[in-house]
Amino acid sequence: MPSDDTRILLRESELPQRWYNINPDLPAPLAPPIHPGTGQPLGPADLAPLFPMELIKQEVSMEPYIEIPDEVMRVYKLWRPSPLYRAHRLEKHLGTPARIYYKNESFSPPGSHKPNTAVAQAYYNKQEGVKRIATETGAGQWGSALSFGCCLFGIECMVYMVKVSYEQKPYRRLLMESWGATCVPSPTDTTNAGRTILAKDPDTPGSLGIAISEAVEDAVTRDDTKYALGSVLNHVLLHQTIVGQEAQAQFKLAEDYPDIVVGCVGGGSNFAGACFPFVKDKLGGKQVDILAIEPQSCPTLTRGDFRYDFGDTAQLTPLLKMFTLGHTFVPEPIHAGGLRYHGMAPLVSLLVSQNAIEARAIHQLGTFEAALTFARTEGSLPAPETAHAVKVAIDEALKCKDTGEEKCIMIAYSGHGFFDLAAYEKYMAGDLEDHEYSREAVEAALKELPEISEPAA
Amino acid sequence: MPSDDTRILLRESELPQRWYNINPDLPAPLAPPIHPGTGQPLGPADLAPLFPMELIKQEVSMEPYIEIPDEVMRVYKLWRPSPLYRAHRLEKHLGTPARIYYKNESFSPPGSHKPNTAVAQAYYNKQEGVKRIATETGAGQWGSALSFGCCLFGIECMVYMVKVSYEQKPYRRLLMESWGATCVPSPTDTTNAGRTILAKDPDTPGSLGIAISEAVEDAVTRDDTKYALGSVLNHVLLHQTIVGQEAQAQFKLAEDYPDIVVGCVGGGSNFAGACFPFVKDKLGGKQVDILAIEPQSCPTLTRGDFRYDFGDTAQLTPLLKMFTLGHTFVPEPIHAGGLRYHGMAPLVSLLVSQNAIEARAIHQLGTFEAALTFARTEGSLPAPETAHAVKVAIDEALKCKDTGEEKCIMIAYSGHGFFDLAAYEKYMAGDLEDHEYSREAVEAALKELPEISEPAA
């Protein structure tokens, strides 16, 4: 008999003490990253200029669980355990027999799941004496989370923010500055990468690819500085698994268990964090559908190739085996900026290729409609990224209305939309449209990729 | 031995079931409101065009507790019970032996304590068949809370937003629209009050006084419409007392009790909600200091007179006996817009006059400095109003550092500052300044007030 509570809460003493590492449970081995210069598998030393050694160890660890350090736990307790909500009002509005839950990460200080890894990364950098961290940010969620993490550990934070977002979302920048970070519009004239771009196109709006190049260059050219990434890599996904572990403890309390777990995917960190503990159950024989939702305008998992590609436009990063649309593919501008990435976390990619995760691509207008339905029943206004998962949860609940099935659905509710109200304004005014991806552009981008075959184990 | 948890959480089943009505516990009787036309004490019938009867009854009730209706409880459960935080990181940063707690109302969907009454008011209106509610809003907190409340009960919501705020804070307006409300810049040309003002001054930035007049006129001239107020009145303060009752249950769990309770005061609803249950203890003999913090630029409690005055500039509302700077007094523009009110809730005023509550006035620059200290230790960025309480809590904690006293301090943490980042930007750029109130302007405003003596009981 499932609980009738609106919020299923864990006490501080019930906070999971370890991150879950899915690597040893994978149904097939993960292909190693490849060095962009040598074409050979990457060794730990290759990453040392960018990341502290503890994170590099986590990146390749085969331990099933990794202890969360006390100092990270103390910061987590500012908003963790996060609530698992039962969407009573949404269910009633839809008239569905389905039970809908949402694991709500929007109450962290920066407003999303991102600080789960930002705090951990800041901690490990601090442990190894790092004084300054450089990173890039697109929509601003990651930049503000890292600003927050660095602030609490007394580390200087330098954020290269894609210029068009810097200008469109001044509140995100101001939030970073409130936490003491420096945030500059990218491209800047302070890096070679930035100067090169500006020389060609002084009015460029910038891109995530350019911002990554600037942050990486900043980190490798300064002794006191490392680099930090907010998604894609194994250690980033690892830190997010506290979300799904909490959700499992909460379902136990509620005497329920999901038939469907649904999350949006950009680089994959929110999705992996909420879903990997359920993927473990599924790989162990449990019946649960795990749905990764991406935008039609950037359909990496549903229309991309599963092969080696660079993480950035400028080909500075290691090559990762992942679903990709090609690193030169530029998705149409949509308002879920966090989902506009050509690649996908290798761990998520592998699990999709093994049919442990089902991927679906959807259009943005439907996500905004679903988001307003959610806000007008549950109160909370989701980020446009989060709205992708909300849309599919509503669709699945309506299917249950037709079939009479009493399915249990969990939404990975990654963040709030308070800084995205300009997008909602456009939607409400009828000024938004749907974008199809360009098959020709993807084919052209994929043709440029080097042919790299997986090294023998 | 006080608990060491970061968040003291109550379960849903521990949510208080009743609002606390301080009226029968007052050390002196409350003076009745006076009709602006007749000069006589107001009867229930006089308020019927504006409010549903159940709220009018609550306004004059002498019952010590009033049951919270089930439907209101179900909505409260979307964010209630709210967490009581222990500010471990702030304490450590200050090096104080004091224990600092903050009762955090920022996690409600509109981001403040305001929906505690907005939801209740929407419910009682719905019960009496009201189809539409009109209100005013200054900074936008109240307007968004009422939009949220009306949305959940299927009531149309019309918000007259002070024009200068409407233009400066587009995100607040958009949040209201996301919940389906209509928000217009006041003065409008759709009311007599608005047209009269526009005829004199087409470029007026508007004021709360004008917006109140428009909302009241809208309500009294339409059969399907009532009016709602977000502070000042007894029933509004009543609904907020769930905050302080929860805090008391949480202190019991934490095995602690505050020596100091501190909140900001504008109209008085946040302050009353958090503090009245502690005032009850104090009136019963318990030792606890209760501090009401107001801005130096609008020092109603510390520099005003305790006498009858109107609630609005246009003299449309009943006369209330309260601390006032005079209804024609216009405070300097400060960024804590929610604290720019010439009057004060009669209940709070009476308790200050009886020395049950201590009032202090402080400057805004110090509040922003305190807010950033708070954000950089606890993570959460307070609203400029809330920052007034944070500032005084920090000052009191630093006094403890000098004296070695291990005092327990509770902050009434009323809301987040996500929609106030433009104010933080000005502060960080050094563009903010402190404003002293004008003694001459207050004297002039008070001279205009009618001499009304309290009717015999």
Side-chain angles (χ1 to χ4, degrees):
Chain A
M1 178 66 184
S3 155
D4 209 44
D5 278 6
T6 298
R7 297 184 302 169
I8 296 109
L9 301 177
L10 299 177
R11 294 203 185 271
E12 200 164 291
S13 56
E14 297 169 299
L15 194 58
Q17 305 288 309
R18 306 176 300 176
W19 293 303
Y20 164 58
N21 181 16
I22 204 168
N23 207 343
D25 289 329
L26 292 175
L30 206 59
I34 298 287
H35 192 288
T38 66
Q40 295 301 308
L42 215 62
D46 296 317
L47 291 172
L50 293 178
F51 302 112
M53 196 47 66
E54 206 57 41
L55 292 178
I56 297 172
K57 281 190 206 158
Q58 289 178 2
E59 189 64 22
V60 297
S61 171
M62 291 301 279
E63 292 297 319
Y65 289 95
I66 291 173
E67 290 290 319
I68 305 174
D70 282 351
E71 281 199 62
V72 174
M73 287 293 274
R74 275 198 285 274
V75 179
Y76 276 178
K77 288 172 184 174
L78 289 172
W79 74 96
R80 308 214 69 86
S82 73
L84 177 70
Y85 272 76
R86 174 78 182 273
H88 285 299
R89 307 183 79 85
L90 176 61
E91 289 171 18
K92 195 173 167 194
H93 171 80
L94 298 175
T96 177
R99 299 183 301 287
I100 305 173
Y101 294 84
Y102 50 109
K103 177 65 173 164
N104 195 337
E105 292 296 300
S106 74
F107 298 125
S108 73
S112 79
H113 66 292
K114 291 286 188 195
N116 295 325
T117 185
V119 168
Q121 292 191 47
Y123 167 77
Y124 288 116
N125 274 284
K126 181 72 176 182
Q127 286 300 101
E128 298 186 19
V130 175
K131 300 273 184 277
R132 185 171 171 277
I133 300 179
T135 199
E136 70 288 331
T137 199
Q141 282 279 16
W142 169 243
S144 45
L146 191 67
S147 302
F148 164 69
C150 284
C151 174
L152 295 194
F153 287 105
I155 298 173
E156 203 181 318
C157 185
M158 177 68 183
V159 181
Y160 294 86
M161 185 169 187
V162 175
K163 190 161 79 182
V164 60
S165 298
Y166 181 94
E167 287 162 358
Q168 284 175 349
K169 296 197 181 190
Y171 278 25
R172 272 280 166 213
R173 165 177 64 80
L174 289 167
L175 190 58
M176 297 182 223
E177 292 175 356
S178 298
W179 283 317
T182 303
C183 176
V184 294
S186 166
T188 71
D189 61 2
T190 61
T191 66
N192 285 327
R195 281 189 293 267
T196 306
I197 300 284
L198 286 173
K200 282 189 213 154
D201 180 5
D203 297 324
T204 174
S207 76
L208 207 50
I210 298 167
I212 293 178
S213 303
E214 290 205 87
V216 167
E217 181 182 328
D218 180 317
V220 297
T221 55
R222 287 182 59 149
D223 276 351
D224 63 349
T225 301
K226 298 271 188 205
Y227 171 73
L229 195 66
S231 190
V232 179
L233 297 181
N234 302 347
H235 70 271
V236 180
L237 275 55
L238 172 78
H239 301 151
Q240 295 294 353
T241 58
I242 189 156
V243 177
Q245 290 184 82
E246 283 180 9
Q248 292 197 324
Q250 288 162 315
F251 275 115
K252 199 171 278 180
L253 262 184
E255 299 183 24
D256 211 342
Y257 189 89
D259 299 296
I260 298 172
V261 177
V262 56
C264 64
V265 277
S269 79
N270 157 63
F271 178 80
C275 298
F276 278 4
F278 294 97
V279 172
K280 178 180 165 65
D281 286 357
K282 186 184 174 76
L283 294 172
K286 193 119 183 168
Q287 172 56 43
V288 46
D289 292 334
I290 298 172
L291 310 183
I293 314 304
E294 59 186 14
Q296 270 288 359
S297 56
C298 188
T300 313
L301 288 171
T302 51
R303 304 300 179 102
D305 278 1
F306 185 42
R307 59 188 288 185
Y308 274 102
D309 193 4
F310 296 96
D312 70 327
T313 323
Q315 310 195 346
L316 290 177
T317 72
L319 291 137
L320 301 172
K321 190 174 178 191
M322 59 183 177
F323 277 93
T324 180
L325 297 166
H327 61 272
T328 56
F329 175 74
V330 180
E332 289 294 319
I334 56 164
H335 279 280
L339 306 184
R340 289 180 73 235
Y341 186 61
H342 70 276
M344 181 56 62
L347 284 169
V348 172
S349 295
L350 179 86
L351 287 161
V352 169
S353 78
Q354 298 282 323
N355 299 315
I357 294 168
E358 178 191 335
R360 297 185 193 170
I362 62 174
H363 278 301
Q364 77 172 345
L365 284 181
T367 67
F368 278 96
E369 185 192 9
L372 285 188
T373 298
F374 193 87
R376 291 174 185 183
T377 51
E378 294 296 311
S380 179
L381 187 75
E385 292 82 1
T386 312
H388 282 68
V390 170
K391 162 68 176 159
V392 171
I394 289 177
D395 288 347
E396 291 293 325
L398 290 175
K399 277 187 210 165
C400 290
K401 189 177 178 179
D402 288 341
T403 63
E405 285 176 292
E406 298 182 3
K407 282 191 179 174
C408 172
I409 302 168
M410 182 186 103
I411 301 167
Y413 195 87
S414 50
H416 64 63
F418 289 155
F419 297 114
D420 303 284
L421 280 162
Y424 280 95
E425 180 171 36
K426 282 195 176 162
Y427 172 71
M428 291 188 286
D431 291 342
L432 276 197
E433 49 188 38
D434 280 333
H435 298 280
E436 202 62 56
Y437 85 110
S438 156
R439 181 182 294 264
E440 296 70 32
V442 169
E443 275 168 18
L446 290 174
K447 250 185 217 145
E448 286 182 31
L449 295 194
E451 284 297 339
I452 291 177
S453 47
E454 198 167 325
Chain B
M1 176 65 183
S3 156
D4 209 42
D5 277 5
T6 298
R7 296 185 301 170
I8 296 108
L9 301 177
L10 299 177
R11 294 200 185 274
E12 202 165 288
S13 55
E14 297 168 301
L15 194 58
Q17 304 289 310
R18 306 177 300 177
W19 293 303
Y20 165 59
N21 181 16
I22 203 167
N23 207 345
D25 290 330
L26 291 175
L30 205 60
I34 299 286
H35 193 288
T38 65
Q40 295 302 306
L42 214 60
D46 296 317
L47 291 172
L50 292 177
F51 302 111
M53 198 45 68
E54 205 56 41
L55 292 177
I56 295 170
K57 281 190 205 159
Q58 290 178 3
E59 189 65 22
V60 297
S61 171
M62 291 301 278
E63 292 297 318
Y65 289 95
I66 291 174
E67 291 289 318
I68 305 173
D70 282 351
E71 280 198 65
V72 174
M73 286 293 273
R74 275 199 285 276
V75 178
Y76 276 178
K77 288 173 185 175
L78 289 172
W79 74 97
R80 305 214 73 85
S82 73
L84 177 71
Y85 273 76
R86 174 78 184 274
H88 285 300
R89 308 184 77 87
L90 175 62
E91 289 171 18
K92 196 173 167 194
H93 171 80
L94 299 174
T96 176
R99 298 183 302 288
I100 306 173
Y101 294 82
Y102 50 110
K103 177 65 173 165
N104 195 338
E105 292 296 300
S106 73
F107 298 124
S108 73
S112 79
H113 65 292
K114 289 286 185 194
N116 295 325
T117 185
V119 168
Q121 293 191 47
Y123 166 78
Y124 288 115
N125 274 284
K126 180 72 176 182
Q127 285 301 102
E128 299 187 21
V130 175
K131 301 273 184 277
R132 185 171 172 277
I133 301 179
T135 198
E136 70 288 333
T137 198
Q141 283 280 16
W142 168 243
S144 45
L146 191 66
S147 302
F148 163 70
C150 285
C151 173
L152 295 194
F153 287 104
I155 297 172
E156 205 181 317
C157 185
M158 176 70 183
V159 182
Y160 294 87
M161 186 169 186
V162 175
K163 189 160 80 181
V164 60
S165 298
Y166 182 92
E167 285 161 359
Q168 284 174 349
K169 295 196 179 191
Y171 278 25
R172 273 279 166 213
R173 165 178 62 80
L174 288 168
L175 190 58
M176 297 182 224
E177 293 175 354
S178 298
W179 282 315
T182 302
C183 176
V184 294
S186 164
T188 70
D189 61 2
T190 59
T191 65
N192 285 327
R195 281 188 294 268
T196 307
I197 299 285
L198 286 174
K200 282 190 212 153
D201 180 5
D203 295 324
T204 175
S207 76
L208 207 50
I210 299 167
I212 292 178
S213 304
E214 291 205 85
V216 168
E217 181 182 329
D218 180 318
V220 297
T221 54
R222 286 183 58 147
D223 277 350
D224 63 348
T225 301
K226 297 272 186 201
Y227 171 72
L229 196 66
S231 192
V232 179
L233 298 181
N234 302 348
H235 69 272
V236 180
L237 275 54
L238 171 79
H239 301 152
Q240 294 294 352
T241 58
I242 189 157
V243 178
Q245 290 185 82
E246 282 179 11
Q248 292 197 323
Q250 287 162 317
F251 275 115
K252 199 169 278 182
L253 260 185
E255 298 182 25
D256 211 342
Y257 189 89
D259 299 295
I260 298 172
V261 177
V262 57
C264 63
V265 276
S269 78
N270 157 64
F271 177 81
C275 298
F276 278 4
F278 294 97
V279 172
K280 177 179 165 68
D281 287 358
K282 186 184 175 78
L283 294 172
K286 193 118 184 169
Q287 172 56 44
V288 47
D289 292 335
I290 297 172
L291 309 182
I293 313 305
E294 60 186 14
Q296 270 287 0
S297 56
C298 188
T300 313
L301 289 172
T302 53
R303 305 299 179 102
D305 278 2
F306 184 43
R307 59 187 289 186
Y308 275 101
D309 193 5
F310 295 96
D312 68 329
T313 321
Q315 309 192 352
L316 290 177
T317 72
L319 289 139
L320 301 172
K321 189 172 178 193
M322 58 183 178
F323 277 94
T324 178
L325 297 166
H327 62 272
T328 57
F329 175 74
V330 180
E332 288 293 320
I334 57 163
H335 280 280
L339 308 183
R340 288 180 73 235
Y341 186 63
H342 70 275
M344 181 59 60
L347 284 168
V348 172
S349 296
L350 179 86
L351 288 160
V352 169
S353 78
Q354 297 281 325
N355 298 315
I357 294 169
E358 179 190 335
R360 297 185 192 170
I362 62 174
H363 278 301
Q364 75 171 347
L365 284 180
T367 67
F368 278 96
E369 185 191 10
L372 284 188
T373 298
F374 193 86
R376 291 174 184 181
T377 50
E378 294 296 311
S380 180
L381 188 76
E385 291 84 359
T386 312
H388 282 67
V390 171
K391 162 68 175 159
V392 171
I394 289 177
D395 288 349
E396 290 293 326
L398 290 175
K399 278 186 210 163
C400 290
K401 189 178 178 177
D402 289 343
T403 63
E405 284 176 292
E406 298 181 2
K407 282 191 180 173
C408 173
I409 302 168
M410 182 186 100
I411 302 167
Y413 195 88
S414 50
H416 64 63
F418 289 156
F419 298 113
D420 304 285
L421 280 161
Y424 280 95
E425 179 172 37
K426 282 196 177 162
Y427 172 72
M428 292 189 284
D431 291 341
L432 276 196
E433 49 188 37
D434 280 333
H435 298 279
E436 202 62 56
Y437 84 110
S438 156
R439 181 183 294 264
E440 295 71 32
V442 169
E443 277 169 15
L446 290 175
K447 249 183 220 150
E448 289 181 30
L449 294 195
E451 283 299 338
I452 294 179
S453 47
E454 198 164 329

